[in-house]
Amino acid sequence: MLASIVGAAAAATALLSPHTAMAADSTPIPASADVSALSPQQLELLKSDAPHTISVDPRTGKVLSVTEGAISTPAISQHNICNSGDFCYASGQVPYAHQGFYGSAGTKTGSWPSRSYFDTGNYRGRACWTYQGSSPCSGPWGPNSYVNFNGSLVTGTSVTLY
């Protein structure tokens, strides 16, 4: 008799618990989320605890898609000095600082005026720039490559490390 009372109490507690309505590996979808564009498989992925990436309409917040895995964040880093071994986008004019890039593969974008050269340092990489209305990119060039702009100054727009 005592066992049946304890069992009934445990069952009642489980029914009243808000977490038992979903599986242990399931995450609730907020009631305010518009997921009408998703397939049944995307809905299951959205509810799971598996790594996933959610794309939303920036204007409305509507969920447009769910894909497996997380978006990988580039590990390229940047600072306004060129240390030994950095991919260096060098300034050719004061007051602009050199821009050093280091770390793992990825791309950094920006606007770095008055660049006179770049040096790939210890990296395989490429640089992009603007000059007189054109927007070319280099290489990619291997480590220890020094690339100048034939005496001209350009505006750097991106650096990619491979």
Side-chain angles (χ1 to χ4, degrees):
M1 175 81 177
L2 182 59
S4 63
I5 293 172
V6 170
T13 302
L15 288 173
L16 295 174
S17 172
H19 300 291
T20 56
M22 56 190 159
D25 65 344
S26 182
T27 302
I29 298 173
S32 61
D34 180 354
V35 295
S36 61
L38 300 183
S39 70
Q41 295 83 8
Q42 288 177 318
L43 283 170
E44 287 306 308
L45 182 58
L46 183 62
K47 290 187 242 178
S48 80
D49 287 341
H52 55 273
T53 299
I54 303 165
S55 294
V56 299
D57 180 323
R59 187 176 54 80
T60 65
K62 180 179 182 174
V63 178
L64 301 174
S65 69
V66 180
T67 55
E68 289 186 41
I71 293 176
S72 146
T73 303
I76 183 175
S77 295
Q78 174 187 359
H79 47 204
N80 63 353
I81 188 170
C82 290
N83 292 325
S84 177
D86 285 356
F87 183 114
C88 182
Y89 221 152
S91 169
Q93 186 178 26
V94 173
Y96 302 110
H98 293 335
Q99 297 297 312
F101 301 86
Y102 60 98
S104 306
T107 300
K108 284 280 190 179
T109 59
S111 178
W112 307 293
S114 299
R115 302 296 104 183
S116 59
Y117 71 88
F118 66 88
D119 178 349
T120 60
N122 294 336
Y123 296 92
R124 180 172 177 265
R126 70 184 261 171
C128 298
W129 61 90
T130 59
Y131 179 73
Q132 295 183 343
S134 65
S135 300
C137 293
S138 73
W141 300 108
N144 301 310
S145 295
Y146 176 89
V147 179
N148 68 54
F149 300 107
N150 199 31
S152 295
L153 297 178
V154 303
T155 297
T157 57
S158 72
V159 167
T160 301
L161 301 181
Y162 295 93

